[in-house]
């Protein structure tokens, strides 16, 4: 019986451990929400570079709408909500035509539709090529997923198309060595990245594998002339491999460009138009390339700050714009920058709270100040005394907490 009772006893934690856990959870929430406190609808901010988005399956079961943090809390409280983490270039849909008779409580005067929003199957609560939900109710253990920085879908490591999960670049502690990941479906149309220097790849073997795949799978290259502007940051000299030239490949089927899948909602055609008279070499000394239908589509793991290496010359910038991938050059698009901004907002908020507390204390008289400070000291002493005398093998009950405050009240009465 004693053994059975021991199994039922909940694990106890110290006050320090509890407070640390709360702080970590608050930080994680701030990173996901980008420091958004969820007080105002973000609709007036337009199509934001990046923000936390939620899908309400109660109001839009087809998964064709997304709402901001504030609307998820104020307008859809108690509904079946899918947390989508962040989405790029998105505007809050709450209360528009997709919601029928349901209106936004925070900002009801919205356009009937946000034409520039994109939706994928994540909005229905399914992820990866397997289409499973997260958390997966049928899984014994939830497996962490990786988000593609292009189509923004999430993938299980076993569904990345790798021979082994060991191919995912990690350090000895198991922490990722990459900043961004491009899934196999998207990598086929971003083959021009394979002509960049080794510095953009998260691991040397990744770069070697990509170059090898390019040689074996007929990458078309046309080197007619240089664009003559722009340059490469970080002083990295690119390598140009003549083996990538395939003189026999003069055209690519018009449907070669991979549309970012039936899951993307709004397809992006990334197939470059082959025009030998205008197709040119960029300032890096490498060519914008066209992949043949046989190019192996393997996932890409890109190093930290890889976007800084991308050529920003006029020719390349026009190419990104034409193919709908200009966001690669926008600093605010990266998750790293998004989280950096969230941390800054968190620090500013904490400083404001500390300032407000000090201001309140400074506005009090001497007697009031001493009462508050003595009260805080008494509470610390009582809690410390309780923890020192408490049997750590037993759980803390509500009676124990009441006893702490009763002892404090008795002490104050004696004073």
């Amino acid at each position: 019986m004693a053994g059975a009772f021991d199994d039922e006893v909940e694990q106890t934690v110290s006050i320090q451990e509890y407070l640390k856990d709360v702080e970590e959870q608050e930080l994680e929430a701030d990173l996901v929400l980008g420091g958004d406190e969820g007080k105002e609808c973000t609709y007036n901010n337009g199509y934001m570079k990046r923000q936390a988005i939620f899908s309400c399956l109660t109001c839009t079961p087809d998964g064709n709408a997304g709402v901001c943090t504030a609307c998820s809390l104020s307008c859809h409280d108690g509904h079946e909500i899918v947390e989508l983490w962040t989405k790029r270039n998105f505007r809050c849909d709450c209360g528009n035509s997709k919601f029928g008779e349901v209106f936004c409580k925070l900002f009801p005067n919205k356009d009937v539709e946000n034409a520039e929003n994109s939706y994928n199957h994540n909005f229905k609560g399914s992820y990866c090529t397997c289409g499973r939900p997260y958390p997966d109710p049928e899984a014994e253990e939830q497996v962490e997923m990786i988000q593609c920085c292009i189509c923004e879908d999430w993938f299980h490591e076993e569904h990345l198309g790798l021979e082994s999960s060991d191919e995912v670049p990690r350090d000895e502690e198991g922490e990722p060595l990459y900043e961004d990941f491009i899934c196999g479906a998207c990598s086929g149309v971003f083959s021009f990245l394979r002509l960049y220097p080794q510095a953009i790849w998260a691991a040397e073997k990744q770069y070697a594998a990509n170059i090898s795949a390019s040689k074996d799978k007929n990458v078309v290259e046309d080197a007619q002339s240089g664009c003559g502007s722009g340059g490469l940051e970080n002083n990295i000299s690119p390598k140009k491999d003549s083996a990538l030239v395939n003189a026999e490949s003069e055209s690519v089927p018009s449907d070669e460009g991979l549309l970012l899948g039936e899951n993307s909602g709004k397809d992006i055609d990334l197939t470059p138009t082959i025009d030998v008279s205008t197709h040119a070499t960029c300032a890096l000394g490498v060519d914008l390339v066209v992949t043949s239908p046989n190019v192996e589509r393997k996932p890409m793991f890109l190093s930290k700050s890889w976007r800084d290496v991308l050529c920003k010359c006029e020719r390349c910038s026009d190419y990104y714009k034409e193919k709908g991938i200009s966001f690669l050059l926008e600093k605010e698009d990266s998750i790293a920058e998004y989280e950096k901004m969230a941390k800054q907002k968190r620090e500013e908020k904490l400083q404001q709270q500390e300032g407000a507390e000090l201001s309140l204390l400074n506005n009090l008289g001497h007697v009031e100040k001493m009462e508050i400070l003595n009260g805080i000291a008494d509470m610390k002493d009582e809690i410390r005394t309780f923890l020192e005398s408490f049997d750590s093998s037993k759980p803390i009950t509500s009676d124990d907490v009441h006893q702490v405050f009763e002892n404090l009240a008795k002490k104050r009465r004696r004073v």
Side-chain angles (χ1 to χ4, degrees):
M1 289 295 291
F5 176 77
D6 291 341
D7 291 339
E8 295 178 0
V9 175
E10 295 183 2
Q11 183 179 3
T12 60
V13 294
S14 67
I15 294 295
Q16 290 83 356
E17 290 174 330
Y18 173 75
L19 293 177
K20 182 180 179 181
D21 183 57
V22 170
E23 185 176 355
E24 289 177 350
Q25 290 181 24
E26 289 180 348
L27 175 59
E28 183 178 354
D30 280 344
L31 293 181
V32 172
L33 301 178
D36 184 0
E37 297 182 3
K39 295 180 179 180
E40 297 181 0
C41 175
T42 61
Y43 181 81
N44 275 336
N45 296 333
Y47 294 90
M48 296 179 63
K49 297 296 184 182
R50 184 167 294 282
Q51 66 171 313
I53 291 296
F54 304 80
S55 174
C56 179
L57 297 183
T58 301
C59 297
T60 55
D62 291 336
N64 62 342
V67 302
C68 68
T69 301
C71 288
S72 71
L73 297 173
S74 299
C75 308
H76 304 274
D77 183 32
H79 294 187
E80 184 180 359
I81 296 291
V82 177
E83 299 181 16
L84 301 175
W85 199 30
T86 71
K87 294 293 180 183
R88 69 165 58 93
N89 298 331
F90 201 93
R91 195 175 196 183
C92 180
D93 285 321
C94 183
N96 66 14
S97 61
K98 297 183 177 183
F99 288 79
E101 299 300 320
V102 179
F103 295 95
C104 178
K105 298 177 182 178
L106 301 179
F107 191 85
N109 189 25
K110 291 186 172 76
D111 292 340
V112 295
E113 185 177 354
N114 294 316
E116 296 182 31
N117 281 356
S118 294
Y119 312 90
N120 62 10
H121 67 162
N122 296 167
F123 286 76
K124 294 182 180 180
S126 60
Y127 305 87
C128 189
T129 55
C130 62
R132 296 298 302 166
Y134 187 88
D136 192 338
E138 297 183 6
E140 295 182 2
E141 182 178 354
Q142 300 302 325
V143 180
E144 185 176 349
M145 293 195 287
I146 305 175
Q147 187 184 39
C148 173
C149 69
I150 305 302
C151 66
E152 298 190 302
D153 195 3
W154 293 82
F155 298 86
H156 298 101
E157 287 187 4
E158 62 266 32
H159 298 152
L160 295 180
L162 302 173
E163 294 183 5
S164 169
S165 59
D166 292 336
E167 293 184 48
V168 178
R170 294 190 180 91
D171 60 21
E172 296 179 354
E173 303 296 328
E175 294 298 319
L177 290 171
Y178 59 92
E179 179 173 295
D180 280 322
F181 154 76
I182 298 179
C183 70
C186 293
S187 70
V189 291
F190 281 81
S191 58
F192 65 89
L193 292 177
R194 296 186 178 115
L195 296 184
Y196 270 79
Q198 184 173 344
I200 75 167
W201 305 107
E204 184 175 351
K205 62 181 179 181
Q206 175 75 27
Y207 176 77
N210 281 322
I211 291 297
S212 177
S214 299
K215 290 179 179 180
D216 295 341
K217 298 298 182 178
N218 297 332
V219 176
V220 182
E221 183 183 34
D222 179 19
Q224 295 296 315
S225 61
C227 62
S229 64
L232 178 63
E233 298 180 17
N234 298 336
N235 228 7
I236 300 173
S237 299
K239 296 179 180 179
K240 183 174 177 183
D241 197 329
S242 60
L244 295 176
V245 178
N246 180 4
E248 297 178 356
S249 300
E250 297 179 353
S251 64
V252 174
S254 61
D255 61 349
E256 153 55 17
L258 178 66
L259 304 180
L260 295 184
E262 58 184 4
N263 297 334
S264 70
K266 193 167 67 176
D267 296 332
I268 304 175
D269 185 359
L270 296 174
T271 306
T273 301
I274 308 304
D275 185 344
V276 176
S277 63
T278 60
H279 190 55
T281 305
C282 80
L284 291 177
V286 298
D287 294 328
L288 301 179
V289 298
V290 182
T291 59
S292 78
N294 296 323
V295 168
E296 185 177 7
R297 293 186 170 141
K298 297 195 66 175
M300 298 177 174
F301 295 93
L302 298 148
S303 65
K304 294 180 180 179
S305 302
W306 69 278
R307 298 182 189 220
D308 294 341
V309 181
L310 292 179
C311 180
K312 300 174 180 64
C313 72
E314 184 177 356
R315 179 57 59 88
C316 286
S317 296
D318 289 344
Y319 178 81
Y320 298 147
K321 184 176 181 180
E322 176 189 352
K323 304 310 171 186
I325 55 174
S326 294
F327 56 80
L328 291 178
L329 301 180
E330 296 171 356
K331 191 175 182 180
E332 299 89 345
D333 181 74
S334 71
I335 295 298
E337 184 66 21
Y338 177 81
E339 292 186 343
K340 178 182 177 181
M341 293 173 61
K343 288 180 179 178
Q344 290 177 346
K345 290 181 180 179
R346 176 179 173 80
E347 291 175 359
E348 292 173 359
K349 181 173 65 176
L350 292 176
Q351 289 176 359
Q352 290 175 355
Q353 290 175 350
E354 291 176 0
E357 293 167 358
L358 288 174
S359 177
L360 174 63
L361 194 61
N362 290 333
N363 289 331
L364 295 176
H366 177 73
V367 175
E368 290 86 352
K369 287 181 182 179
M370 294 305 299
E371 286 183 350
I372 291 176
L373 295 175
N374 287 335
I376 294 174
D378 289 343
M379 179 171 286
K380 287 182 177 179
D381 290 340
E382 187 61 35
I383 291 176
R384 183 172 59 251
T385 300
F386 169 75
L387 293 175
E388 289 175 351
S389 62
F390 189 76
D391 185 352
S392 61
S393 64
K394 296 180 181 180
I396 296 176
T397 66
S398 59
D399 290 338
D400 295 324
V401 176
H402 285 307
Q403 186 62 52
V404 169
F405 283 97
E406 185 176 335
N407 293 341
L408 278 172
K410 289 179 180 178
K411 185 174 182 180
R412 297 301 295 170
R413 284 196 295 270
R414 287 196 300 271
V415 172

